[in-house]
Amino acid sequence: MKDSASTDPVLCELISAFTGNVTSVEPIGRGGFTDLTAVVTADAGRFFVKAMRNRPGGRRDQMLRERAINPCVRSLAPALLWSGENGDWIVYGFERVEGRRTDFRPGSDDLPVITELVNRIGVLELPDVARDWQETRWDWWADEGAPELFRGDALLHADVNPGNLLIGEGRAWVVDWSWPTRGAAFIDPAMLVHQLIAAGHTPDEAEALAADCPAWTEADPAAIDAFVIAYARMNRHRALRNPGQPWLGAMAEATEAWAAFRGLRWS
């Protein structure tokens, strides 16, 4: 799908309406749930382009949410410069930034930048457009009564991972605001801890790094425990349903190691 998307004449025509004559489309590996992510070079310049089949449902909703939040997060995210849609496609053209994915592994020089970016997310004000975007992703997997611990008034990115935190020359970005939500402030630092464990840190090392995040240190430990239990259940379910994707198994193992470290029973 992604290979054919870059040459789809309907999509190319939609893009060129904003960029002028397109001279190259370079698909890139980011955006696992998007039909096309590419660097497009055209008469009007170079753009990072994200496109998705225009069909009702969650994936279209993600695109609309990303468009709505972009003006509110431009201190961290590349600017959305243009957007368009027709009956087949919805497409966005972002400012093209030069940056590399961050390295979450032990000993990485990126670790201070990573925690700084998570803290910068944490101080963003909750905009009016996000007030109805209550975080519910982990509710189904949580123990009875626990979802209330995930509520709050923080603006969450809720997809903290190495590919979404980019480092460039003298600047860093948080990209892919596909599903921002309103919830408890500790959730983004908690997602950071999970990703650090998956990258090779021990759970105690990962939590020690998260201690640089006020939203983590100020959180109720019971809320963190409830989140870890729900996340362990979610990740194991995903891994079992998708045995051909070993990265899901690795994510499940990381969450389960974290639960064991905190002395939690999740199964």
Side-chain angles (χ1 to χ4, degrees):
M1 173 61 211
K2 292 183 181 181
D3 290 340
S4 63
S6 63
T7 58
D8 184 295
V10 176
L11 176 58
C12 291
E13 182 179 358
L14 182 59
I15 292 172
S16 65
F18 298 95
T19 66
N21 181 55
V22 174
T23 56
S24 72
V25 178
E26 307 165 51
I28 58 178
R30 295 194 65 258
F33 297 102
T34 308
D35 291 316
L36 176 71
T37 51
V39 175
V40 170
T41 304
D43 290 346
R46 287 170 57 101
F47 305 91
F48 174 75
V49 170
K50 176 185 287 191
M52 191 173 291
R53 291 286 184 184
N54 198 353
R55 296 169 180 152
R59 298 174 73 202
R60 172 181 163 79
D61 290 347
Q62 289 181 21
M63 292 285 281
L64 297 178
R65 192 171 286 205
E66 185 165 15
R67 182 171 65 190
I69 201 64
N70 184 262
C72 308
V73 298
R74 288 189 181 177
S75 62
L76 281 170
L80 176 61
L81 302 176
W82 48 263
S83 64
E85 64 179 291
N86 56 28
D88 294 323
W89 290 97
I90 179 168
V91 60
Y92 295 163
F94 291 88
E95 170 193 11
R96 168 64 175 159
V97 299
E98 296 293 338
R100 60 168 177 83
R101 61 185 283 139
T102 43
D103 183 355
F104 278 42
R105 293 174 296 180
S108 167
D109 291 338
D110 294 349
L111 294 173
V113 178
I114 291 166
T115 54
E116 178 191 1
L117 285 172
V118 172
N119 283 334
R120 288 177 64 191
I121 298 170
V123 298
L124 292 172
E125 291 187 11
L126 181 73
D128 288 342
V129 70
R131 291 201 172 272
D132 293 334
W133 298 348
Q134 181 171 279
E135 179 55 70
T136 60
R137 248 165 298 197
W138 290 272
D139 289 9
W140 195 88
W141 308 96
D143 289 339
E144 184 176 357
E148 288 304 312
L149 299 171
F150 309 154
R151 308 292 181 252
D153 289 324
L155 175 65
L156 303 176
H157 180 277
D159 194 12
V160 173
N161 68 63
N164 286 341
L165 307 184
L166 305 181
I167 294 179
E169 188 65 37
R171 164 103 211 241
W173 296 270
V174 181
V175 300
D176 199 5
W177 290 78
S178 296
W179 207 252
T181 54
R182 172 188 182 182
F186 78 85
I187 290 178
D188 275 340
M191 298 196 79
L192 169 63
V193 171
H194 177 237
Q195 289 286 333
L196 290 169
I197 297 169
H201 296 262
T202 63
D204 57 329
E205 291 169 343
E207 290 199 356
L209 287 165
D212 288 334
C213 301
W216 173 264
T217 57
E218 295 168 6
D220 180 352
I224 297 173
D225 285 349
F227 177 84
V228 175
I229 289 169
Y231 209 10
R233 290 169 179 159
M234 175 194 286
N235 284 333
R236 180 49 59 190
H237 175 77
R238 288 177 171 173
L240 291 172
R241 285 179 59 88
N242 299 276
Q245 299 190 48
W247 70 273
L248 289 173
M251 291 294 105
E253 290 172 7
T255 331
E256 290 159 15
W258 190 14
F261 168 74
R262 295 184 70 91
L264 304 173
R265 294 175 61 96
W266 60 271
S267 58

